[in-house]
Amino acid sequence: MAAAAAASIRERQTVALKRMLNFNVPHVKNSAGEPVWKVLIYDRFGQDIISPLLSVKELRDMGITLHLLLHSDRDPIPDVPAVYFVMPTEENIDRLCQVFDQYLNFITLEDDMFVLCNQNKEIVSYRAINRTDITDTEMETVMDTIVDSLFCFFVTLGAVPIIRCSRGTAAEMVAVKLDKKLRENLRDARNSLFTGDTLGAGQFSFQRPLLVLVDRNIDLATPLHHTWTYQALVHDVLDFHLNRVNLEESSGTETSPAGARPKRKNKKSYDLTPVDKFWQKHKGSPFPEVAESVQQELESYRAQEDEVKRLKSIMGLEGEDEGAISMLSDNTAKLTSAVSSLPELLEKKRLIDLHTNVATAVLEHIKARKLDVYFEYEEKIMSKTTLDKSLLDIISDPDAGTPEDKMRLFLIYYISAQQAPSEADLEQYKKALTDAGCNLNPLQYIKQWKAFAKMASAPASYGNTTTKPMGLLSRVMNTGSQFVMEGVKNLVLKQQNLPVTRILDNLMEMKSNPETDDYRYFDPKMLRGNDSSVPRNKNPFQEAIVFVVGGGNYIEYQNLVDYIKGKQGKHILYGCSELFNATQFIKQLSQLGQK
């Protein structure tokens, strides 16, 4: 299986993009001679797909001298070939005379994570799928949009999956349509995208991947949950979008002279990508561990920097004595080595500065909103552990979090409760939430959803382990540290499988479980479609794709990453129709709950 695992979806999509930019001829890295110089024209959709994968320098290496938006005004550039990467909308086609189909309509954010769209994501949003007034025609459009992108994903992967999905959900509608689209393509032997010279032909030849389609409604608590890992926290509390985080830098403590304009806050943008080794290593780590690691990196950098300075001063010795001369010769080699590692040292410094700024911004939110308290309390609710503090106390505490934080906490309690609170209790909670400045529309929607879901099934289970407070970090508490974690709990995560991970585990390992036993089974390679939940494949899967219809989040993604670490030789990809944080999800719930 090593060959199959070698190419991640990020690599696959990058290869496909480079091939397109090379006029649909495979791009050979070390080919002699200059590349063909060309212009790249894209629309916003194309821009979103390219930006997480290829830097401006990489585009230039591919021969792209200029990249422009389709609808921007530009002068003609005679005798230069152009690559157009746009959606085939009427508006775009009016601007073009011919469109060459590229099956790249999805956005790869990580080696093992993708989303369907960023522009016009409201078309496939949770709200769009769950509106009570949606017409059949509108629903068909939503499903077709999702299926078209998933089809592109599997063409790029070069594999035809075996599909499993829950019944009676939007995920089932996607499964039926995707099975049909894959089947029709395979039937046309001459034009099938899965035969002959496909990008990934043969990579999955040992075994086909499993596609698990789940509906967001199987677990509404996780997207609302306050989190404790670095990447999920950055997405939750900062402006983090297509792997780029935008920060407002505080303008320092100095006061402006009377009457002068207050200093404008500097805006900084940072790309958090696989090239950033610190990010790759720590994006799934608990936050206190990240703070400690930044501090350690800083100390190691300072030690290296001091060594370079020391060697430089020795090299400047002008003594005639033999001791000085022998020191000089000893240190010449050391200095040469130190100077040759300067670019590496500068890059290290850039990453330390970046993560110091990002982690400091996150820490400010944790302290100001008591996010550690929320995280720990919600973990206890979701794992049915005894609560040490009353929910009303937290909601009524003016110093604990924003109105949105309180609403998130209460919704998790309401969703996870086996027994809904009595009307009298609910009224008391509603009053406390209103007094805290909360908008009750999301609760209105969750109440309707819960009444409907109750008829369908029991609430999702979140396991019975919980976080463990470890006492304050001693190292990070040092006065020399950038991160004074005083008052913030150092919570250590215990591994527990969230509902989506548990469903995947059942289906990937072929376990019998009431939760997944009636999941439908589709094999687009079978000549006749057979509505069945009886798998014809009895062996556990090595490769799987989990796709959440209705939106996903970094908490779920990280949980899957942690789960698969313990499964040698197995690989998972996580995808979702849109990627939202709790603020964006609450907004959608609020719109659905409006009367």
Side-chain angles (χ1 to χ4, degrees), residues 251-387:
S251 47
T253 49
E254 65 222 63
T255 50
S256 310
R261 283 186 181 170
K263 277 192 172 179
R264 285 185 66 186
K265 285 192 173 179
N266 290 334
K267 288 204 168 183
K268 284 227 166 169
S269 288
Y270 300 110
D271 289 321
L272 298 173
T273 65
V275 181
D276 179 339
K277 290 188 174 64
F278 185 90
W279 177 247
Q280 282 305 93
K281 187 177 176 185
H282 292 292
K283 64 186 181 188
S285 304
F287 185 76
E289 211 176 281
V290 174
E292 190 167 11
S293 299
V294 174
Q295 191 61 29
Q296 284 168 354
E297 290 281 329
L298 187 62
E299 283 164 22
S300 127
Y301 166 77
R302 280 179 182 152
Q304 278 177 282
E305 193 181 40
D306 289 347
E307 177 66 359
V308 173
K309 282 179 186 165
R310 191 181 72 78
L311 291 169
K312 275 185 175 171
S313 69
I314 289 170
M315 295 298 279
L317 282 177
E318 289 181 2
E320 292 299 318
D321 58 277
E322 283 179 23
I325 289 164
S326 66
M327 265 181 93
L328 197 63
S329 56
D330 283 351
N331 284 298
T332 305
K334 284 187 186 173
L335 184 64
T336 307
S337 152
V339 169
S340 67
S341 66
L342 269 179
E344 197 182 307
L345 206 57
L346 289 170
E347 176 60 8
K348 197 171 184 179
K349 176 76 167 74
R350 185 187 73 80
L351 292 181
I352 292 166
D353 289 347
L354 184 165
H355 289 287
T356 300
N357 290 342
V358 173
T360 302
V362 170
L363 182 59
E364 282 168 10
H365 279 274
I366 292 173
K367 286 182 160 182
R369 291 160 55 186
K370 297 191 178 173
L371 298 184
D372 50 334
V373 174
Y374 277 94
F375 169 69
E376 189 181 22
Y377 199 86
E378 288 164 6
E379 286 276 301
K380 285 179 176 170
I381 289 173
M382 290 163 79
S383 58
K384 311 280 187 285
T385 311
T386 315
L387 302 173

Side-chain angles (χ1 to χ4, degrees), residues 58-117:
E58 286 170 303
L59 288 175
R60 201 168 294 124
D61 293 344
M62 293 286 304
I64 304 291
T65 54
L66 193 61
H67 44 95
L68 301 160
L69 279 164
L70 176 66
H71 293 281
S72 60
D73 292 324
R74 56 187 185 275
D75 295 322
I77 307 168
D79 302 325
V80 176
V83 176
Y84 283 80
F85 188 40
V86 298
M87 285 288 272
T89 60
E90 261 185 71
E91 187 186 11
N92 285 352
I93 288 169
D94 287 345
R95 186 99 171 159
L96 297 172
C97 52
Q98 188 184 6
V99 175
F100 193 108
D101 254 353
Q102 300 291 338
Y103 291 90
L104 287 165
N105 189 19
F106 60 96
I107 299 169
T108 304
L109 293 174
E110 302 282 341
D111 287 341
D112 47 8
M113 181 189 193
F114 68 101
V115 296
L116 293 196
C117 61

Side-chain angles (χ1 to χ4, degrees), residues 176-222:
V176 171
K177 279 180 176 285
L178 182 61
D179 175 61
K180 182 169 181 275
K181 195 170 174 88
L182 288 166
R183 196 177 289 279
E184 283 169 358
N185 186 267
L186 289 166
R187 197 176 293 143
D188 184 353
R190 286 166 308 172
N191 295 317
S192 174
L193 294 157
F194 294 95
T195 54
D197 180 30
T198 56
L199 294 165
Q203 295 260 7
F204 277 90
S205 54
F206 299 108
Q207 194 199 40
R208 287 159 59 198
L210 169 71
L211 169 63
V212 178
L213 288 166
V214 294
D215 195 280
R216 179 70 274 156
N217 282 320
I218 62 147
D219 173 16
L220 291 185
T222 298

Side-chain angles (χ1 to χ4, degrees), residues 7 143 147 210 351 369 464 474 490 539 550 584:
M143 295 299 125
V147 167
L210 169 71
L351 292 181
R369 291 160 55 186
N464 55 5
S474 52
N490 179 20
N539 300 320
Q584 293 157 338

